[in-house]
Amino acid sequence: MSSRVTGRDDVSPAPAEIDPDYPIDPVPAHARRSLFSLAIVLLGFTFFTPTMLAGAQIGAAFDVTSLIWVLLLGSAVLGVYVAAIGGIGARTGLTTVMMCRYSLGTRGAKLASLLLGGTQVGWYGVTVATLAGLTASALEWQGRATEIALMVAGGALMGVTAYYGYRGMYALSVVSVPLMLVLAGWVTWRSLEEVGGWSGLTAIEPGGTMPIAAAVTIVVGTFASGGTQAPNWTRFARTPTVGFWACVVAFLIGELLMLGFGAVGALAFGEGDFVLVLYQLGLVGWGLVFLVANLWTTNDNTAYNFGVAGAEIADSRSKKPFVIGGVVVGTLLAITGIYDNLIDYLVWLGILIPPLGGVVIGDFLARWRGGMPATSALPAVEWRNLAVYVVAAFAAWVSNEAGWFIPPVVGVVVAVAGVLAVQRGRRPAPATTGA
């Protein structure tokens, strides 16, 4: 049974005035999508070359048996968390930042929009830098000016499908996802061939060390921000079950595949950068085509995320100006060298972002399962939940510093439990229904 919301206080305008991606309105029934459609778009998001880079760096620190368990644990944590918040998005029909209006208040949600939108702008820069480096190496183009020109061109190109919304992203993902599976499968086969099969792979000794908690945090960090914003797509699901399973397919299975492919390449070739593994394998021509398509599908989803976050901040029914602005900022970040700080960036995402999703999940369970009212009924700041977020993020940071347990899990659990505690007995009356 879907929760229904008004989303806004005024009478809905004529359809021609509304962005067909409904950045600040509940997605109506006629715009809902199938499991296949959602899974393809979300797989396009998670099939991401820097995810393989993270897998490669983790792979260099563990023997094969331990590595498998680490990747399974990290992907399971991420998949369950994203599926939970994705199912809520399908029930409400709202983006993550719009749900934050209910959890943090109409003004408090601006903090969430800045945090989620800002981290996605950073990811956009990481991907633009990856694309430029790959292209320059493949074509043997030299010079900083050439690299910057590629970043500018790539940054502009990858924002195009996000500008046109869900339909543009779906069309691109239908082509890119199968191509990426072919590429990753080919790399894995060649990697195993390089080391003499599975027995040769298991005989490789790890070249470094890494605490299990840190490795799992990196896995979760690869899509901590993006996964928290899964409702941006699952709100298009026809049922909450469809939204839940689309997230499981993309963020558990898809994420696990990408990490595993990257790790196997690192173990086989002793190279932490997956892009360099590809070149060692001689994959330049088709590899460039496949990977450009792969990076594009992720970055248009990323641009879509900061587009709807900007729309929430400005209370605008159009995401397009914010897509353009985020593309410009993300490209400038790429030029400054954000790619070089990827692992530290992932660790901080794993600390700061999951507690926010935990607040949304906890608040939905505590107060909004029966429906969600018009935003005029909401406070400017929901101080109880905001305080819980701060405590949960601090708990995740302490967990990371102490090397105790898994920081993203600590953050989510503390956030969910904290919100359930502070909102106990404050369940609102049945909400008004709307679109």
Side-chain angles (χ1 to χ4, degrees):
M1 193 77 178
S2 294
S3 293
R4 303 181 66 189
V5 298
T6 58
R8 294 178 60 89
D9 309 321
D10 50 345
V11 177
S12 296
E17 299 178 29
I18 302 178
D19 187 316
D21 286 281
Y22 309 95
I24 60 172
D25 295 282
V27 176
H30 70 80
R32 300 293 179 124
R33 309 280 179 157
S34 67
L35 174 59
F36 175 81
S37 175
L38 285 166
I40 283 291
V41 170
L42 287 172
L43 280 170
F45 189 31
T46 58
F47 280 14
F48 187 34
T49 301
T51 301
M52 303 173 87
L53 171 62
Q57 295 191 351
I58 294 171
F62 294 93
D63 61 76
V64 173
T65 302
S66 299
L67 175 65
I68 291 172
W69 285 110
V70 167
L71 297 186
L72 278 172
L73 178 58
S75 298
V77 169
L78 182 66
V80 170
Y81 162 65
V82 175
I85 196 169
I88 293 172
R91 290 191 66 180
T92 64
L94 295 173
T95 64
T96 301
V97 290
M98 286 302 296
M99 289 194 294
C100 284
R101 287 191 178 182
Y102 293 86
S103 298
L104 300 177
T106 54
R107 292 187 182 276
K110 308 305 179 189
L111 170 65
S113 294
L114 287 171
L115 183 60
L116 292 173
T119 55
Q120 289 295 278
V121 170
W123 262 125
Y124 197 87
V126 168
T127 307
V128 166
T130 302
L131 176 64
L134 170 67
T135 304
S137 297
L139 300 178
E140 298 183 351
W141 290 349
Q142 304 294 324
R144 179 61 178 166
T146 299
E147 188 176 4
I148 291 174
L150 287 170
M151 289 180 186
V152 172
L157 180 65
M158 290 189 287
V160 171
T161 42
Y163 184 86
Y164 287 104
Y166 187 98
R167 290 183 180 180
M169 294 186 294
Y170 172 74
L172 183 62
S173 295
V174 163
V175 176
S176 177
V177 168
L179 290 178
M180 190 58 190
L181 281 172
V182 170
L183 169 65
W186 183 84
V187 169
T188 302
W189 175 72
R190 285 293 305 272
S191 297
L192 289 172
E193 189 178 65
E194 184 76 13
V195 296
W198 180 257
S199 59
L201 190 68
T202 57
I204 297 174
E205 294 292 331
T209 60
M210 180 184 296
I212 290 177
V216 174
T217 299
I218 289 172
V219 172
V220 176
T222 58
F223 276 99
S225 178
T228 299
Q229 296 178 85
N232 293 353
W233 300 278
T234 61
R235 64 200 173 99
F236 288 94
R238 289 173 182 163
T239 67
T241 301
V242 168
F244 179 90
W245 284 109
C247 288
V248 169
V249 169
F251 289 92
L252 197 163
I253 300 173
E255 173 82 354
L256 181 61
L257 285 173
M258 289 298 100
L259 290 164
F261 291 147
V264 169
L267 288 171
F269 290 93
E271 174 57 65
D273 191 328
F274 182 74
V275 172
L276 298 181
V277 171
L278 292 174
Y279 293 142
Q280 287 187 37
L281 289 170
L283 188 66
V284 177
W286 279 107
L288 181 61
V289 173
F290 291 165
L291 286 173
V292 166
N294 163 249
L295 294 174
W296 190 352
T297 58
T298 296
N299 242 20
D300 64 357
N301 281 263
T302 302
Y304 185 88
N305 282 340
F306 56 66
V308 298
E312 189 283 323
I313 292 174
D315 202 29
S316 168
R317 278 196 162 98
S318 175
K319 68 185 181 304
K320 292 180 179 179
F322 308 101
V323 169
I324 295 171
V327 165
V328 172
V329 174
T331 302
L332 290 175
L333 287 174
I335 293 171
T336 65
I338 191 174
Y339 183 84
D340 298 330
N341 301 302
L342 176 61
I343 294 300
D344 289 340
Y345 184 64
L346 291 178
V347 170
W348 275 106
L349 290 185
I351 292 170
L352 294 176
I353 303 300
L356 184 61
V359 168
V360 171
I361 294 169
D363 201 46
F364 180 83
L365 295 175
R367 298 195 292 164
W368 306 119
R369 283 180 292 175
M372 303 170 84
T375 53
S376 60
L378 302 174
V381 179
E382 178 52 67
W383 292 105
R384 295 174 183 83
N385 289 351
L386 186 60
V388 168
Y389 168 73
V390 172
V391 171
F394 179 73
W397 177 79
V398 170
S399 172
N400 182 69
E401 290 296 301
W404 178 79
F405 202 55
I406 303 165
V409 176
V410 171
V412 171
V413 170
V414 170
V416 172
V419 170
L420 289 174
V422 301
Q423 297 296 350
R424 184 177 182 183
R426 299 186 69 244
R427 190 185 302 274
T432 8
T433 57

